[in-house]
Amino acid sequence: MNGRVLALSGGVGGAKLALGLARVLDAGQLTVVANTGDDFVHLGLSISPDVDTLVYTLAGLADPERGWGHREETWGFMEALARLGGETWFRLGDRDLAMHVERTHRLAAGEPLSAVTDHVRRCLGIAAAIVPMSDDPVRTRLDTECGRLDFQDYFVRRRCEPVVRGIVYQGAETARPAQAWMQLLADEPLRAVVICPSNPLLSIEPILALPGVRAALAACAAPVIAVSPLIGGQALKGPTARLMRELGEEAGAGGIAHRYAGMIDALLVDAGDMPAARQADIEWIAAPILMDTLRDRELLAGAVLAAADRIAGR
Ligand code: FO1
């Protein structure tokens, strides 16, 4: 069974499922939309962390421990920068640096981020399409007890420690979602739309906040399947559960279902998170959502596609 699949993703967690989908689908059937709300300019370089995590993961180049950055990385640039008293809180590895330099150079020459990303994808032999959610800048900022913070300041420099009171997706209201994926959503008969197990507030919401995206998903004829990023109320990585609590949301599968209600047909959760009674008018499906190994990623991708095919009556 084949057919095109559109996946919405943030960084590490989402990229794991994207890799599983890429491995079980025929070449060219997968399009992954990457959050760009985490993007920023650092040391004069244009950094797109979630785009790069997807690129490195799908190219088999991601560092297996960190999840972000290039595998077999060396840190000569960082060491030299530290000696010069430069900013070292955001670590740019020597191999990774090539990505940021090339992207910055191409953006400065007038290429849109989607074209730069597609160029990189082809150079690294990735069959799946990777589409930044928009070519226009959207910047996630957090209102915290320490004031309004840029995303990477909150996430990396301050290790998600400040208590968060609100989140803004600056620029989202006027940014145009990239053509490549909105057209797919509107025109193509899709097999499934997948919301990857990424942070719903920091990674998926910036995509949903773009004009027309929620309506397009609600109107989409294909099954929309989400995978919970939480198990037993805990995120496997990152601040998802804490952030949901800080913003008054239920930090559990129920909270995820509530967030995506009206947009998704089914939510895949850990067996221990299955509710006693139907909730949020969606189908709840118990699935192996922990993705430690490559095999786990393929199995979860298979479970997502099986759910979509069943809902579509295929
Ligand atoms: N995450 C960190 O925790 N520390 C870093 O120094 C760091 C550097 C970095 C460099 C390039 C890149 O593409 C990602 C990097 N990340 C780093 C990951 C990253 O910023 C976050 O995990 C994402 O933005 C959240 O999805």
Side-chain angles (χ1 to χ4, degrees):
M1 163 84 237
N2 239 304
R4 298 200 71 153
V5 172
L6 182 71
L8 312 187
S9 177
V12 181
K16 287 182 180 177
L17 180 57
L19 179 61
L21 287 165
R23 290 176 64 90
V24 300
L25 289 166
D26 282 354
Q29 297 291 62
L30 177 65
T31 297
V32 189
V33 180
N35 167 44
T36 56
D38 302 6
D39 291 15
F40 74 137
V41 174
H42 184 61
L43 306 175
L45 298 170
S46 297
I47 319 279
S48 295
D50 287 358
V51 169
D52 289 353
T53 297
L54 282 162
V55 165
Y56 290 145
T57 302
L58 293 176
L61 295 174
D63 180 89
E65 298 302 316
R66 294 190 308 274
W68 55 267
H70 203 290
R71 73 170 189 217
E72 290 149 22
E73 191 56 280
T74 54
W75 303 94
F77 167 69
M78 281 280 101
E79 286 156 21
L81 186 64
R83 280 197 294 276
L84 298 175
E87 280 188 55
T88 54
W89 61 271
F90 194 81
R91 292 187 294 146
L92 298 176
D94 300 334
R95 290 170 197 273
D96 189 31
L97 199 52
M99 181 71 86
H100 310 305
V101 169
E102 186 60 19
R103 176 171 38 235
T104 304
H105 172 68
R106 284 174 177 271
L107 289 174
E111 278 186 49
L113 182 61
S114 51
V116 179
T117 306
D118 200 54
H119 165 79
V120 164
R121 167 192 84 81
R122 278 185 279 108
C123 288
L124 298 180
I126 300 168
I130 301 170
V131 186
M133 64 185 198
S134 175
D135 285 323
D136 302 323
V138 175
R139 296 293 169 258
T140 299
R141 294 203 159 94
L142 297 104
D143 286 324
T144 74
E145 57 184 350
C146 306
R148 182 165 285 190
L149 301 177
D150 289 346
F151 179 85
Q152 299 296 346
D153 187 8
Y154 162 78
F155 198 90
V156 174
R157 197 197 315 232
R158 300 178 195 237
R159 299 188 187 87
C160 308
E161 282 164 9
V163 174
V164 176
R165 303 196 172 116
I167 306 177
V168 290
Y169 309 101
Q170 251 169 30
E173 60 291 340
T174 50
R176 290 152 300 175
Q179 272 285 99
W181 70 279
M182 285 302 271
Q183 213 150 31
L184 207 58
L185 201 51
D187 301 342
E188 284 274 332
L190 290 171
R191 182 177 178 186
V193 176
V194 182
I195 301 183
C196 290
S198 297
N199 187 315
L201 296 160
L202 298 179
S203 302
I204 302 298
E205 191 58 33
I207 306 176
L208 301 179
L210 297 169
V213 170
R214 280 178 188 279
L217 283 175
C220 171
V224 181
I225 314 289
V227 178
S228 174
L230 301 173
I231 295 183
Q234 295 294 324
L236 302 170
K237 193 172 189 292
T240 308
R242 208 184 114 201
L243 203 55
M244 289 181 83
R245 270 193 298 275
E246 286 174 356
L247 293 172
E249 301 192 14
E250 181 197 333
I256 304 290
H258 190 67
R259 258 207 154 257
Y260 296 148
M263 229 169 4
I264 62 170
D265 297 291
L267 177 66
L268 269 63
V269 298
D270 180 71
D273 285 334
M274 285 292 279
R278 192 179 166 85
Q279 275 183 22
D281 206 24
I282 56 165
E283 194 173 324
W284 288 68
I285 299 169
I289 65 170
L290 195 64
M291 291 182 285
D292 284 337
T293 65
L294 198 51
R295 185 79 193 117
D296 294 341
R297 294 163 206 195
E298 292 170 352
L299 285 174
L300 182 55
V304 167
L305 296 174
D309 292 347
R310 193 173 40 71
I311 289 168
R314 283 189 284 254

